[in-house]
mmCIF file of all heavy atoms in Angstrom:
data_model
loop_
_atom_site.group_PDB
_atom_site.id
_atom_site.type_symbol
_atom_site.label_atom_id
_atom_site.label_comp_id
_atom_site.label_asym_id
_atom_site.label_seq_id
_atom_site.Cartn_x
_atom_site.Cartn_y
_atom_site.Cartn_z
ATOM 1 N N ARG A 65 -88.497 50.229 3.817
ATOM 2 C CA ARG A 65 -88.976 49.261 4.815
ATOM 3 C C ARG A 65 -87.873 48.347 5.379
ATOM 4 O O ARG A 65 -88.147 47.474 6.197
ATOM 5 C CB ARG A 65 -90.086 48.398 4.209
ATOM 6 C CG ARG A 65 -91.288 49.237 3.814
ATOM 7 C CD ARG A 65 -92.383 48.415 3.187
ATOM 8 N NE ARG A 65 -93.229 49.289 2.382
ATOM 9 C CZ ARG A 65 -94.259 48.878 1.660
ATOM 10 N NH1 ARG A 65 -94.581 47.593 1.640
ATOM 11 N NH2 ARG A 65 -94.967 49.743 0.950
ATOM 12 N N LEU A 66 -86.654 48.525 4.933
ATOM 13 C CA LEU A 66 -85.540 47.759 5.518
ATOM 14 C C LEU A 66 -85.186 48.335 6.888
ATOM 15 O O LEU A 66 -85.475 49.504 7.162
ATOM 16 C CB LEU A 66 -84.291 47.866 4.633
ATOM 17 C CG LEU A 66 -84.313 47.237 3.247
ATOM 18 C CD1 LEU A 66 -83.013 47.590 2.523
ATOM 19 C CD2 LEU A 66 -84.470 45.729 3.346
ATOM 20 N N ALA A 67 -84.531 47.548 7.711
ATOM 21 C CA ALA A 67 -84.002 48.088 8.965
ATOM 22 C C ALA A 67 -82.889 49.092 8.656
ATOM 23 O O ALA A 67 -82.682 50.053 9.400
ATOM 24 C CB ALA A 67 -83.468 46.951 9.833
ATOM 25 N N ALA A 68 -82.189 48.876 7.563
ATOM 26 C CA ALA A 68 -81.096 49.778 7.173
ATOM 27 C C ALA A 68 -81.659 51.141 6.774
ATOM 28 O O ALA A 68 -82.689 51.227 6.111
ATOM 29 C CB ALA A 68 -80.316 49.181 6.010
ATOM 30 N N LYS A 69 -80.950 52.194 7.178
ATOM 31 C CA LYS A 69 -81.386 53.555 6.865
ATOM 32 C C LYS A 69 -81.207 53.855 5.379
ATOM 33 O O LYS A 69 -81.961 54.600 4.785
ATOM 34 C CB LYS A 69 -80.521 54.509 7.701
ATOM 35 C CG LYS A 69 -81.226 55.756 8.147
ATOM 36 C CD LYS A 69 -80.328 56.557 9.094
ATOM 37 C CE LYS A 69 -80.031 55.826 10.393
ATOM 38 N NZ LYS A 69 -78.866 56.355 11.124
ATOM 39 N N TRP A 70 -80.146 53.286 4.793
ATOM 40 C CA TRP A 70 -79.803 53.589 3.417
ATOM 41 C C TRP A 70 -79.507 52.313 2.632
ATOM 42 O O TRP A 70 -79.045 51.330 3.215
ATOM 43 C CB TRP A 70 -78.535 54.459 3.340
ATOM 44 C CG TRP A 70 -78.579 55.701 4.147
ATOM 45 C CD1 TRP A 70 -78.016 55.916 5.369
ATOM 46 C CD2 TRP A 70 -79.223 56.935 3.800
ATOM 47 N NE1 TRP A 70 -78.264 57.197 5.801
ATOM 48 C CE2 TRP A 70 -79.006 57.843 4.857
ATOM 49 C CE3 TRP A 70 -79.962 57.355 2.681
ATOM 50 C CZ2 TRP A 70 -79.498 59.145 4.844
ATOM 51 C CZ3 TRP A 70 -80.450 58.647 2.680
ATOM 52 C CH2 TRP A 70 -80.220 59.531 3.743
ATOM 53 N N VAL A 71 -79.738 52.408 1.313
ATOM 54 C CA VAL A 71 -79.247 51.375 0.412
ATOM 55 C C VAL A 71 -78.276 52.048 -0.555
ATOM 56 O O VAL A 71 -78.593 53.103 -1.122
ATOM 57 C CB VAL A 71 -80.382 50.710 -0.410
ATOM 58 C CG1 VAL A 71 -79.809 49.694 -1.411
ATOM 59 C CG2 VAL A 71 -81.383 50.015 0.505
ATOM 60 N N ILE A 72 -77.111 51.459 -0.704
ATOM 61 C CA ILE A 72 -76.182 51.928 -1.735
ATOM 62 C C ILE A 72 -76.204 50.916 -2.859
ATOM 63 O O ILE A 72 -75.942 49.728 -2.654
ATOM 64 C CB ILE A 72 -74.765 52.137 -1.169
ATOM 65 C CG1 ILE A 72 -74.765 53.359 -0.251
ATOM 66 C CG2 ILE A 72 -73.754 52.334 -2.302
ATOM 67 C CD1 ILE A 72 -73.438 53.654 0.423
ATOM 68 N N HIS A 73 -76.573 51.392 -4.038
ATOM 69 C CA HIS A 73 -76.697 50.533 -5.210
ATOM 70 C C HIS A 73 -75.379 50.604 -5.974
ATOM 71 O O HIS A 73 -75.041 51.645 -6.552
ATOM 72 C CB HIS A 73 -77.853 51.017 -6.093
ATOM 73 C CG HIS A 73 -79.135 51.165 -5.323
ATOM 74 N ND1 HIS A 73 -80.086 50.178 -5.285
ATOM 75 C CD2 HIS A 73 -79.588 52.178 -4.524
ATOM 76 C CE1 HIS A 73 -81.084 50.575 -4.498
ATOM 77 N NE2 HIS A 73 -80.807 51.784 -4.034
ATOM 78 N N ALA A 74 -74.620 49.519 -5.932
ATOM 79 C CA ALA A 74 -73.296 49.491 -6.559
ATOM 80 C C ALA A 74 -73.372 48.593 -7.796
ATOM 81 O O ALA A 74 -73.950 47.509 -7.738
ATOM 82 C CB ALA A 74 -72.272 48.948 -5.570
ATOM 83 N N VAL A 75 -72.801 49.059 -8.880
ATOM 84 C CA VAL A 75 -72.875 48.301 -10.130
ATOM 85 C C VAL A 75 -71.520 47.671 -10.420
ATOM 86 O O VAL A 75 -70.560 48.359 -10.783
ATOM 87 C CB VAL A 75 -73.321 49.198 -11.304
ATOM 88 C CG1 VAL A 75 -73.481 48.358 -12.568
ATOM 89 C CG2 VAL A 75 -74.622 49.927 -10.969
ATOM 90 N N GLY A 76 -71.451 46.369 -10.230
ATOM 91 C CA GLY A 76 -70.223 45.631 -10.524
ATOM 92 C C GLY A 76 -70.161 45.248 -11.996
ATOM 93 O O GLY A 76 -71.156 45.354 -12.716
ATOM 94 N N PRO A 77 -68.995 44.810 -12.438
ATOM 95 C CA PRO A 77 -68.828 44.419 -13.837
ATOM 96 C C PRO A 77 -69.351 43.005 -14.109
ATOM 97 O O PRO A 77 -69.333 42.157 -13.229
ATOM 98 C CB PRO A 77 -67.307 44.441 -14.015
ATOM 99 C CG PRO A 77 -66.787 44.056 -12.663
ATOM 100 C CD PRO A 77 -67.747 44.667 -11.663
ATOM 101 N N VAL A 78 -69.792 42.798 -15.346
ATOM 102 C CA VAL A 78 -70.073 41.442 -15.819
ATOM 103 C C VAL A 78 -68.718 40.828 -16.163
ATOM 104 O O VAL A 78 -67.887 41.474 -16.815
ATOM 105 C CB VAL A 78 -70.936 41.485 -17.108
ATOM 106 C CG1 VAL A 78 -71.170 40.075 -17.649
ATOM 107 C CG2 VAL A 78 -72.264 42.191 -16.838
ATOM 108 N N TRP A 79 -68.453 39.606 -15.679
ATOM 109 C CA TRP A 79 -67.174 38.951 -15.984
ATOM 110 C C TRP A 79 -67.161 38.514 -17.437
ATOM 111 O O TRP A 79 -68.066 37.836 -17.893
ATOM 112 C CB TRP A 79 -66.987 37.736 -15.075
ATOM 113 C CG TRP A 79 -65.702 37.012 -15.325
ATOM 114 C CD1 TRP A 79 -65.527 35.856 -16.048
ATOM 115 C CD2 TRP A 79 -64.409 37.412 -14.865
ATOM 116 N NE1 TRP A 79 -64.212 35.510 -16.049
ATOM 117 C CE2 TRP A 79 -63.484 36.440 -15.339
ATOM 118 C CE3 TRP A 79 -63.929 38.482 -14.098
ATOM 119 C CZ2 TRP A 79 -62.128 36.515 -15.059
ATOM 120 C CZ3 TRP A 79 -62.570 38.554 -13.830
ATOM 121 C CH2 TRP A 79 -61.682 37.583 -14.307
ATOM 122 N N SER A 80 -66.134 38.979 -18.173
ATOM 123 C CA SER A 80 -65.993 38.431 -19.517
ATOM 124 C C SER A 80 -64.547 38.077 -19.790
ATOM 125 O O SER A 80 -63.948 38.512 -20.766
ATOM 126 C CB SER A 80 -66.584 39.371 -20.582
ATOM 127 O OG SER A 80 -66.315 40.703 -20.284
ATOM 128 N N GLY A 81 -63.950 37.351 -18.828
ATOM 129 C CA GLY A 81 -62.608 36.829 -19.022
ATOM 130 C C GLY A 81 -61.535 37.575 -18.261
ATOM 131 O O GLY A 81 -60.430 37.078 -18.085
ATOM 132 N N GLY A 82 -61.810 38.770 -17.822
ATOM 133 C CA GLY A 82 -60.861 39.513 -16.997
ATOM 134 C C GLY A 82 -60.048 40.548 -17.754
ATOM 135 O O GLY A 82 -59.332 41.352 -17.150
ATOM 136 N N GLY A 83 -60.168 40.552 -19.084
ATOM 137 C CA GLY A 83 -59.365 41.489 -19.877
ATOM 138 C C GLY A 83 -60.090 42.771 -20.227
ATOM 139 O O GLY A 83 -59.615 43.566 -21.036
ATOM 140 N N ARG A 84 -61.246 42.959 -19.631
ATOM 141 C CA ARG A 84 -62.004 44.178 -19.949
ATOM 142 C C ARG A 84 -62.114 45.112 -18.753
ATOM 143 O O ARG A 84 -63.124 45.785 -18.568
ATOM 144 C CB ARG A 84 -63.397 43.804 -20.436
ATOM 145 C CG ARG A 84 -63.345 42.964 -21.673
ATOM 146 C CD ARG A 84 -64.631 43.021 -22.436
ATOM 147 N NE ARG A 84 -64.466 42.355 -23.711
ATOM 148 C CZ ARG A 84 -65.457 42.044 -24.521
ATOM 149 N NH1 ARG A 84 -66.694 42.361 -24.189
ATOM 150 N NH2 ARG A 84 -65.220 41.443 -25.662
ATOM 151 N N GLY A 85 -61.064 45.117 -17.934
ATOM 152 C CA GLY A 85 -61.040 46.028 -16.786
ATOM 153 C C GLY A 85 -61.921 45.589 -15.638
ATOM 154 O O GLY A 85 -62.210 46.386 -14.736
ATOM 155 N N GLU A 86 -62.322 44.319 -15.630
ATOM 156 C CA GLU A 86 -63.241 43.879 -14.567
ATOM 157 C C GLU A 86 -62.681 44.096 -13.155
ATOM 158 O O GLU A 86 -63.403 44.580 -12.290
ATOM 159 C CB GLU A 86 -63.632 42.401 -14.752
ATOM 160 C CG GLU A 86 -64.465 42.114 -15.985
ATOM 161 C CD GLU A 86 -63.603 41.658 -17.152
ATOM 162 O OE1 GLU A 86 -62.453 42.146 -17.251
ATOM 163 O OE2 GLU A 86 -64.060 40.833 -17.951
ATOM 164 N N PRO A 87 -61.390 43.744 -12.875
ATOM 165 C CA PRO A 87 -60.891 43.955 -11.509
ATOM 166 C C PRO A 87 -60.941 45.430 -11.094
ATOM 167 O O PRO A 87 -61.359 45.752 -9.984
ATOM 168 C CB PRO A 87 -59.445 43.443 -11.567
ATOM 169 C CG PRO A 87 -59.429 42.483 -12.708
ATOM 170 C CD PRO A 87 -60.391 43.041 -13.713
ATOM 171 N N GLN A 88 -60.535 46.318 -11.997
ATOM 172 C CA GLN A 88 -60.548 47.752 -11.674
ATOM 173 C C GLN A 88 -61.975 48.245 -11.444
ATOM 174 O O GLN A 88 -62.242 49.048 -10.550
ATOM 175 C CB GLN A 88 -59.910 48.565 -12.816
ATOM 176 C CG GLN A 88 -58.416 48.330 -13.016
ATOM 177 C CD GLN A 88 -58.073 47.035 -13.773
ATOM 178 O OE1 GLN A 88 -58.953 46.311 -14.252
ATOM 179 N NE2 GLN A 88 -56.786 46.747 -13.872
ATOM 180 N N LEU A 89 -62.899 47.746 -12.261
ATOM 181 C CA LEU A 89 -64.298 48.176 -12.121
ATOM 182 C C LEU A 89 -64.898 47.671 -10.811
ATOM 183 O O LEU A 89 -65.641 48.386 -10.147
ATOM 184 C CB LEU A 89 -65.126 47.684 -13.313
ATOM 185 C CG LEU A 89 -64.839 48.425 -14.624
ATOM 186 C CD1 LEU A 89 -65.429 47.659 -15.808
ATOM 187 C CD2 LEU A 89 -65.406 49.844 -14.577
ATOM 188 N N LEU A 90 -64.541 46.439 -10.429
ATOM 189 C CA LEU A 90 -65.081 45.901 -9.166
ATOM 190 C C LEU A 90 -64.521 46.690 -7.978
ATOM 191 O O LEU A 90 -65.247 47.067 -7.061
ATOM 192 C CB LEU A 90 -64.754 44.409 -9.040
ATOM 193 C CG LEU A 90 -65.430 43.723 -7.849
ATOM 194 C CD1 LEU A 90 -66.956 43.762 -7.980
ATOM 195 C CD2 LEU A 90 -64.968 42.273 -7.719
ATOM 196 N N GLU A 91 -63.230 46.973 -8.033
ATOM 197 C CA GLU A 91 -62.603 47.744 -6.958
ATOM 198 C C GLU A 91 -63.234 49.130 -6.853
ATOM 199 O O GLU A 91 -63.540 49.616 -5.766
ATOM 200 C CB GLU A 91 -61.098 47.856 -7.251
ATOM 201 C CG GLU A 91 -60.343 48.516 -6.151
ATOM 202 C CD GLU A 91 -58.836 48.380 -6.325
ATOM 203 O OE1 GLU A 91 -58.359 47.371 -6.901
ATOM 204 O OE2 GLU A 91 -58.126 49.301 -5.880
ATOM 205 N N SER A 92 -63.451 49.746 -7.995
ATOM 206 C CA SER A 92 -64.011 51.093 -8.009
ATOM 207 C C SER A 92 -65.447 51.095 -7.489
ATOM 208 O O SER A 92 -65.905 52.057 -6.859
ATOM 209 C CB SER A 92 -63.866 51.656 -9.417
ATOM 210 O OG SER A 92 -65.002 52.297 -9.835
ATOM 211 N N CYS A 93 -66.143 49.996 -7.717
ATOM 212 C CA CYS A 93 -67.509 49.908 -7.226
ATOM 213 C C CYS A 93 -67.529 49.809 -5.697
ATOM 214 O O CYS A 93 -68.314 50.492 -5.029
ATOM 215 C CB CYS A 93 -68.137 48.754 -7.996
ATOM 216 S SG CYS A 93 -69.231 47.685 -7.260
ATOM 217 N N TYR A 94 -66.627 49.032 -5.093
ATOM 218 C CA TYR A 94 -66.528 48.992 -3.625
ATOM 219 C C TYR A 94 -66.090 50.358 -3.078
ATOM 220 O O TYR A 94 -66.623 50.846 -2.090
ATOM 221 C CB TYR A 94 -65.540 47.904 -3.177
ATOM 222 C CG TYR A 94 -66.174 46.529 -3.118
ATOM 223 C CD1 TYR A 94 -66.080 45.647 -4.189
ATOM 224 C CD2 TYR A 94 -66.897 46.121 -1.998
ATOM 225 C CE1 TYR A 94 -66.674 44.384 -4.146
ATOM 226 C CE2 TYR A 94 -67.493 44.864 -1.948
ATOM 227 C CZ TYR A 94 -67.376 44.002 -3.024
ATOM 228 O OH TYR A 94 -67.977 42.771 -2.970
ATOM 229 N N ARG A 95 -65.126 50.988 -3.745
ATOM 230 C CA ARG A 95 -64.643 52.302 -3.261
ATOM 231 C C ARG A 95 -65.746 53.344 -3.323
ATOM 232 O O ARG A 95 -65.904 54.140 -2.402
ATOM 233 C CB ARG A 95 -63.492 52.794 -4.128
ATOM 234 C CG ARG A 95 -62.208 52.327 -3.736
ATOM 235 C CD ARG A 95 -61.093 53.354 -3.716
ATOM 236 N NE ARG A 95 -60.043 52.602 -3.066
ATOM 237 C CZ ARG A 95 -59.266 51.742 -3.722
ATOM 238 N NH1 ARG A 95 -59.341 51.631 -5.036
ATOM 239 N NH2 ARG A 95 -58.393 51.028 -3.061
ATOM 240 N N SER A 96 -66.498 53.356 -4.432
ATOM 241 C CA SER A 96 -67.589 54.341 -4.566
ATOM 242 C C SER A 96 -68.612 54.137 -3.454
ATOM 243 O O SER A 96 -69.113 55.106 -2.877
ATOM 244 C CB SER A 96 -68.315 54.181 -5.907
ATOM 245 O OG SER A 96 -67.417 54.257 -6.956
ATOM 246 N N ALA A 97 -68.910 52.876 -3.140
ATOM 247 C CA ALA A 97 -69.881 52.591 -2.088
ATOM 248 C C ALA A 97 -69.361 53.119 -0.739
ATOM 249 O O ALA A 97 -70.094 53.761 0.012
ATOM 250 C CB ALA A 97 -70.148 51.090 -2.005
ATOM 251 N N PHE A 98 -68.096 52.874 -0.439
ATOM 252 C CA PHE A 98 -67.539 53.356 0.828
ATOM 253 C C PHE A 98 -67.529 54.882 0.908
ATOM 254 O O PHE A 98 -67.788 55.460 1.960
ATOM 255 C CB PHE A 98 -66.116 52.819 1.028
ATOM 256 C CG PHE A 98 -66.080 51.485 1.719
ATOM 257 C CD1 PHE A 98 -65.507 50.385 1.090
ATOM 258 C CD2 PHE A 98 -66.590 51.325 3.000
ATOM 259 C CE1 PHE A 98 -65.460 49.149 1.733
ATOM 260 C CE2 PHE A 98 -66.542 50.090 3.654
ATOM 261 C CZ PHE A 98 -65.978 49.008 3.014
ATOM 262 N N ARG A 99 -67.237 55.540 -0.216
ATOM 263 C CA ARG A 99 -67.237 57.017 -0.202
ATOM 264 C C ARG A 99 -68.624 57.556 0.129
ATOM 265 O O ARG A 99 -68.782 58.457 0.948
ATOM 266 C CB ARG A 99 -66.755 57.560 -1.549
ATOM 267 C CG ARG A 99 -65.228 57.640 -1.645
ATOM 268 C CD ARG A 99 -64.795 58.562 -2.768
ATOM 269 N NE ARG A 99 -65.250 58.060 -4.054
ATOM 270 C CZ ARG A 99 -64.536 57.258 -4.846
ATOM 271 N NH1 ARG A 99 -63.320 56.882 -4.500
ATOM 272 N NH2 ARG A 99 -65.026 56.839 -5.983
ATOM 273 N N LEU A 100 -69.643 56.983 -0.502
ATOM 274 C CA LEU A 100 -71.021 57.421 -0.224
ATOM 275 C C LEU A 100 -71.395 57.124 1.228
ATOM 276 O O LEU A 100 -72.066 57.921 1.880
ATOM 277 C CB LEU A 100 -72.006 56.710 -1.162
ATOM 278 C CG LEU A 100 -71.981 57.144 -2.629
ATOM 279 C CD1 LEU A 100 -72.875 56.227 -3.459
ATOM 280 C CD2 LEU A 100 -72.446 58.588 -2.768
ATOM 281 N N ALA A 101 -70.960 55.980 1.736
ATOM 282 C CA ALA A 101 -71.290 55.598 3.110
ATOM 283 C C ALA A 101 -70.644 56.562 4.108
ATOM 284 O O ALA A 101 -71.249 56.935 5.111
ATOM 285 C CB ALA A 101 -70.830 54.168 3.373
ATOM 286 N N LYS A 102 -69.429 56.989 3.808
ATOM 287 C CA LYS A 102 -68.767 57.960 4.679
ATOM 288 C C LYS A 102 -69.498 59.297 4.639
ATOM 289 O O LYS A 102 -69.723 59.930 5.666
ATOM 290 C CB LYS A 102 -67.308 58.157 4.251
ATOM 291 C CG LYS A 102 -66.365 57.135 4.858
ATOM 292 C CD LYS A 102 -64.923 57.413 4.486
ATOM 293 C CE LYS A 102 -64.344 58.592 5.269
ATOM 294 N NZ LYS A 102 -62.883 58.708 5.050
#
Side-chain angles (χ1 to χ4, degrees):
R65 298 179 202 178
L66 293 175
K69 213 174 295 162
W70 306 100
V71 176
I72 289 178
H73 307 264
V75 184
V78 177
W79 180 259
S80 39
R84 299 201 172 169
E86 293 96 326
Q88 293 79 5
L89 288 166
L90 188 63
E91 185 169 330
S92 136
C93 143
Y94 277 95
R95 274 224 170 82
S96 305
F98 272 120
R99 275 198 298 268
L100 288 173
K102 274 184 75 171

